[in-house]
Amino acid sequence: MLGLVFLIVILFAFYLFYKTKYIRSNRPVEKKWLSAKSNIALGLFVLMFGINTIFLSTSTAAYIVAAIFIIYGVLFSGVGFKKYKHYHRFAIEEAEMLEAEK
C-alpha cells in the first residue's frame, strides 16, 4: 500500500510537469502531444487512487467510488495513449521543421 501512495505522488508530479510544459510551449502540435502525456499521467493517477481506495475501506460506497475511479482512469489514460501515438510523429516533424528553419 505504501508503494501505491508513492506511485500516486509520482504520477501527480508527472501530471503537473507535463501541464507546466504544455502551458509554456508555443508549438501547436507539441501542445497537443504534451496534453496527451498529461492525460496519461492523470488517468494513471486516478486509476492508482481508485485501487488504493479499495485497500483503505471495505464499505460498499468505497467500492463503488473505487470502481468509478478505476474505470475513469483506464478510459482517460487509454484516450491519452491514443492521442500520444497520433501526435508523436507530428510533433517530431514540427520540431524538425522548426530546427531546419534556424
Side-chain angles (χ1 to χ4, degrees):
M1 192 156 79
L2 187 61
L4 282 175
V5 173
F6 179 72
L7 194 56
I8 288 169
V9 170
I10 295 297
L11 287 169
F12 188 68
F14 272 118
Y15 171 72
L16 290 176
F17 174 73
Y18 288 127
K19 271 303 177 186
T20 304
K21 286 186 71 142
Y22 168 82
I23 291 169
R24 299 189 71 186
S25 177
N26 294 327
R27 301 175 184 173
V29 178
E30 185 182 42
K31 283 184 95 127
K32 292 179 182 179
W33 181 60
L34 290 169
S35 177
K37 289 169 93 173
S38 68
N39 284 350
I40 294 170
L42 182 63
L44 291 174
F45 166 75
V46 172
L47 173 71
M48 292 300 145
F49 197 82
I51 291 171
N52 194 37
T53 304
I54 291 173
F55 295 116
L56 293 177
S57 180
T58 58
S59 68
T60 306
Y63 287 144
I64 292 171
V65 170
I68 291 170
F69 280 7
I70 291 170
I71 291 169
Y72 182 74
V74 167
L75 291 175
F76 210 66
S77 60
V79 168
F81 186 69
K82 285 183 181 181
K83 285 182 180 180
Y84 173 80
K85 282 178 36 179
H86 176 73
Y87 289 118
H88 181 71
R89 64 178 172 188
F90 297 121
I92 291 172
E93 289 175 9
E94 182 182 52
E96 288 173 350
M97 186 173 54
L98 290 174
E99 189 67 32
E101 290 176 1
K102 288 185 178 180

